[in-house]
Amino acid sequence: KGAPTAALSLARGTGNAALPKARPKPQKKEGTARCCHNGCRKIYTIADNGPTACKYHAGTPVFGGNDKWWSCCPESGKHWEFERFAAIVPCQTGFHKDEIEDYDE
């Protein structure tokens, strides 16, 4: 199961069932996809995808204590502020990769 939600706690305490607010999923336009590369995650037009379309990090983000850095770019340093971490220039260039491709294997 999992941890009780606020809606379940309210229902137990008051006898009234509270319904969680449903958020609609954002709809992608036809012919677009979301890139799954770390540091990119942009929605792009599939027809415009090319060998220099995506700027991304090949590694993973590392959050150690207060420090934040990319495993592929240790020379960029460790940062405390998230804004400085997010501003690290991506180290790779290539095609965007549709996140759905990960499930087709």
Side-chain angles (χ1 to χ4, degrees):
K1 272 188 166 177
T5 63
L8 288 175
S9 297
L10 179 65
R12 279 191 212 113
T14 63
N16 297 325
L19 301 174
K21 291 183 180 178
R23 282 191 266 167
K25 281 181 112 175
Q27 296 294 316
K28 291 191 293 188
K29 291 184 199 173
E30 186 67 33
T32 64
R34 180 177 293 276
C35 182
C36 68
H37 283 137
N38 287 325
C40 180
R41 306 285 298 158
K42 293 179 182 167
I43 294 177
Y44 64 95
T45 305
I46 295 170
D48 295 337
N49 194 9
T52 60
C54 183
K55 310 264 189 282
Y56 63 98
H57 286 281
T60 58
V62 180
F63 300 98
N66 290 330
D67 296 331
K68 299 158 197 63
W69 70 94
W70 288 99
S71 64
C72 55
C73 301
E75 68 281 352
S76 296
K78 298 178 179 180
H79 302 285
W80 281 33
E81 299 87 10
F82 187 81
E83 292 78 22
R84 289 186 65 196
F85 163 73
I88 295 174
V89 178
C91 60
Q92 299 288 316
T93 302
F95 287 90
H96 286 293
K97 182 178 177 188
D98 187 350
E99 60 191 353
I100 294 174
E101 291 174 3
D102 292 341
Y103 301 107
D104 289 343
E105 296 175 357

